[in-house]
Amino acid sequence: MVNEAFDTNWVAPVGPHITAFEQEVADYIDVKGAVALSSGTAAIHLALLLLNVGREDRVFCSTFTFVASANPIMYQGAEPVFIDSEPESWNMSPQALERALKEAAAENKLPKAVIVVHLYGQVAKMQEILRICKLYDVPVVEDAAESLGATYFGIHSGSMGDFGIFSFNGNKIITTSGGGMLVSNSEKLLERARFLATQAKDPALHYQHSVMGFNYRMSNISAGIGRAQLKSLNGKVDARRSVYKNYVDDLTSIEGISFMPEYHGSFSSRWLTVMLLDQTKLNVTPEQLVTYLNDQMIEARVVWKPLHLQPLFKGTGYYSHSNDNHVAEKLYENGVCLPSGSNLSPKDQQRVIKHIKECLKHSIGREAVI
Ligand SMILES: *Cc1c(COP(=O)(O)O)cnc(C)c1O
């Protein structure tokens, strides 16, 4: 399809692949429509614009996520308030959200939107979250950048809120090398998103502009790549799930090691396999393990540092899961993202597992529990 884009000389910023890619993603997740954009971050930004988020407004956002989830709140001059995770999904805690909304309602300062992130390929507890947001009449934006292909009681991630966003950045489950998508069941709002994403040109021949726009559209070439990638999505989800299963089968017998759970109703794409090292049982920190693996030319990472701990967001509001349970902070202290690519061969994965075992053995020394 990329060749076709070149063959037909359609390397211009508009073209047939864009419309087709939008339709195919919308059909795949079962929503009315989609707008292909230059990045997932741009998609979040447009969602907030369409929800009229502006100066002095508040937006609630999951704390356990990549910074791109929250930056668009700042682009709009609004104030983020971060919501902790809960232990089963590792995503937004409905009980923390409920407390935060109750307090905000009492102050007459309800947020203009709630950004719920579906991290590492798993959908948040949307039934509870949607119920609570509906109660307070607050719109929901699903940051599904990491969870294309995941479902929740059979419903696709990104299709349940007022808006959903996906990313096709190089590290995501399918990629256009760089790109994103805004999805919704409101064709009217999506039409507005298309307008804003293409410099907000008024329908006139003389380049007239009445509102400020952006250069946020995806190119036809990228959309051609995206269409080819989308065809292999289900296979990629299967591959990532079996990578996860191999790690679990080989490593859970080690005391102190556990993995990101998959809770009732959730079908995770297992975008990344995340392992926890119980610091009370193991004598090795996530940073030590990541460094050890990196020295073996194995790419591993620590998990996202919660946004309420970031210097950038110093002093912003934050609601923990419960008074004495800060779930995201605990995950951050113990979590490691393992190599999880859909093209990871069994042989390479065995090498990763071998080195994880060796690292734990060395660090534990005489008290080895392996
Ligand atoms: C990757 C990512 C984004 C941003 O997507 P880009 O396409 O890189 O702008 C947003 N949120 C999360 C959770 C992500 O992982």
Side-chain angles (χ1 to χ4, degrees):
M1 279 189 254
V2 184
N3 287 340
E4 187 194 311
F6 281 115
D7 290 347
T8 56
N9 210 13
W10 219 312
V11 270
V14 291
H17 285 308
I18 297 175
T19 316
F21 187 35
E22 289 174 344
Q23 193 58 50
E24 285 159 11
V25 169
D27 289 346
Y28 180 83
I29 67 160
D30 196 18
V31 290
K32 288 233 175 86
V35 180
L37 299 166
S38 52
S39 71
T41 310
I44 300 171
H45 189 197
L46 285 179
L48 297 184
L49 271 160
L50 294 168
L51 294 170
N52 296 315
V53 172
R55 280 183 200 288
E56 317 283 306
D57 287 332
R58 271 185 200 170
V59 175
F60 289 2
C61 180
S62 305
T63 193
F64 192 42
T65 185
F66 180 47
V67 71
S69 303
N71 273 340
I73 303 171
M74 317 274 271
Y75 299 168
Q76 285 308 97
E79 178 202 349
V81 172
F82 295 113
I83 311 292
D84 199 9
S85 298
E86 58 82 35
E88 279 190 77
S89 66
W90 292 15
N91 287 310
M92 187 179 278
S93 157
Q95 69 185 56
L97 174 66
E98 188 150 36
R99 250 185 15 259
L101 282 172
K102 204 169 162 189
E103 280 186 24
E107 287 174 44
N108 210 7
K109 198 86 182 71
L110 277 170
K112 274 280 184 72
V114 172
I115 301 173
V116 182
V117 184
H118 306 315
L119 218 58
Y120 298 127
Q122 175 150 270
V123 181
K125 296 200 163 172
M126 288 305 285
Q127 220 165 323
E128 287 96 320
I129 289 167
L130 290 171
R131 179 187 59 78
I132 299 161
C133 288
K134 200 165 174 206
L135 201 65
Y136 289 92
D137 202 19
V138 179
V140 173
V141 177
E142 292 180 75
D143 178 346
E146 301 182 0
S147 66
L148 182 60
T151 61
Y152 173 80
F153 292 101
I155 307 168
H156 272 279
S157 86
S159 71
M160 291 168 264
D162 295 80
F163 292 101
I165 77 95
F166 296 103
S167 167
F168 309 114
N169 196 9
N171 59 344
K172 299 300 187 325
I173 193 155
I174 65 167
T175 176
T176 57
S177 91
M181 190 84 76
L182 178 70
V183 304
S184 169
N185 282 312
S186 166
E187 314 237 33
K188 201 171 128 234
L189 288 175
L190 290 174
E191 211 32 67
R192 181 78 182 164
R194 263 183 209 104
F195 168 76
L196 292 172
T198 43
Q199 312 283 24
K201 291 184 200 106
D202 289 343
L205 269 179
H206 51 272
Y207 293 103
Q208 176 171 295
H209 305 272
S210 312
V211 298
M212 184 181 77
F214 301 85
N215 181 9
Y216 275 174
R217 270 304 237 170
M218 181 182 280
S219 74
N220 192 49
I221 288 277
S222 296
I225 298 170
R227 292 184 72 193
Q229 289 263 309
L230 190 61
K231 288 199 202 314
S232 63
L233 174 59
N234 289 340
K236 287 188 160 140
V237 171
D238 290 345
R240 290 200 184 234
R241 285 180 64 88
S242 74
V243 163
Y244 169 88
K245 192 175 172 301
N246 292 341
Y247 281 125
V248 172
D249 289 350
D250 242 307
L251 293 167
T252 30
S253 58
I254 301 172
E255 210 195 327
I257 280 191
S258 63
F259 290 87
M260 184 178 190
E262 187 172 50
Y263 67 99
H264 174 67
S266 159
F267 176 82
S268 173
S269 70
R270 297 291 185 198
W271 174 58
L272 292 186
T273 293
V274 188
M275 181 171 83
L276 294 179
L277 304 170
D278 185 337
Q279 300 293 296
T280 64
K281 296 197 175 108
L282 294 161
N283 197 12
V284 55
T285 66
E287 274 190 18
Q288 285 168 334
L289 177 59
V290 165
T291 308
Y292 184 93
L293 292 175
N294 289 351
D295 286 346
Q296 313 299 323
M297 308 296 286
I298 293 167
E299 195 185 347
R301 304 266 175 96
V302 298
V303 299
W304 303 125
K305 179 174 179 170
L307 295 186
H308 71 275
L309 300 179
Q310 296 285 358
L312 173 64
F313 296 114
K314 202 165 186 266
T316 52
Y318 155 69
Y319 287 83
S320 59
H321 179 55
S322 65
N323 258 347
D324 50 2
N325 196 358
H326 298 256
V327 175
E329 289 183 16
K330 253 187 264 166
L331 295 170
Y332 176 58
E333 276 161 34
N334 298 326
V336 179
C337 302
L338 298 176
S340 313
S342 40
N343 52 3
L344 183 70
S345 72
K347 190 162 153 270
D348 285 341
Q349 191 173 8
Q350 277 312 312
R351 194 173 85 84
V352 176
I353 290 167
K354 187 185 107 201
H355 285 296
I356 292 171
K357 286 180 174 167
E358 257 167 36
C359 175
L360 295 178
K361 216 186 281 180
H362 285 145
S363 308
I364 295 159
R366 278 173 293 109
E367 296 152 301
V369 287
I370 304 170

